[in-house]
Amino acid sequence: GDGKEALYEAYNLLHTLAQDFKKPFDAPAVVVVGHQSSGKSALIEALMGFQFNQVGGGTKPRRPVALRMQYDPDCHQPRCYLVDDDGVERPKTLSEIQRYIEKENRRLERDP
């Protein structure tokens, strides 16, 4: 309802202000650990309500992936932020995240 949306909006505003002023902001975090192909990504996708990882075709993440989700009730697509290798958080589309996972998987297959 409205109370939940107001809470999400306040959280998003605080996070944005912290980034604008380059101040640390402790955000709730979820860490999922498990064996290969044990459903870690599926669990995260179920919690988020959309799929960010392609099913089948071997596109399973093989390394840690840091994502931040931002709630926006007017968005029809999720707004995602990926922490790149340089440690900087950048906005990414779901397709860009999938391509990143695929690229990293190929790199790790060549150079584990």
Side-chain angles (χ1 to χ4, degrees):
D2 292 333
K4 198 177 234 184
E5 287 181 19
L7 182 62
Y8 287 139
E9 289 170 12
Y11 172 80
N12 287 340
L13 177 60
L14 284 173
H15 189 273
T16 300
L17 288 171
Q19 282 190 316
D20 290 348
F21 289 101
K22 299 184 184 341
K23 298 289 182 188
F25 183 74
D26 290 331
V30 175
V31 177
V32 180
V33 179
H35 294 287
Q36 184 175 348
S37 298
S38 62
K40 296 175 297 290
S41 294
L43 173 63
I44 297 297
E45 290 171 347
L47 292 171
M48 293 187 304
F50 64 89
Q51 181 179 335
F52 71 87
N53 189 30
Q54 290 178 332
V55 176
T59 312
K60 299 178 185 337
R62 295 191 178 130
R63 59 162 280 180
V65 177
L67 292 172
R68 181 176 66 85
M69 311 308 299
Q70 181 171 335
Y71 176 78
D72 184 344
D74 298 325
C75 275
H76 297 289
Q77 288 286 335
R79 185 176 297 163
C80 307
Y81 298 85
L82 178 70
V83 178
D84 284 330
D85 293 331
D86 59 5
V88 177
E89 183 182 84
R90 294 184 177 88
K92 301 285 183 185
T93 65
L94 290 176
S95 296
E96 290 171 325
I97 291 171
Q98 289 170 341
R99 283 194 299 274
Y100 172 81
I101 291 170
E102 290 170 353
K103 180 186 81 160
E104 282 298 297
N105 286 349
R106 284 192 301 274
R107 182 185 66 79
L108 290 171
E109 286 171 1
R110 286 190 311 273
D111 185 24

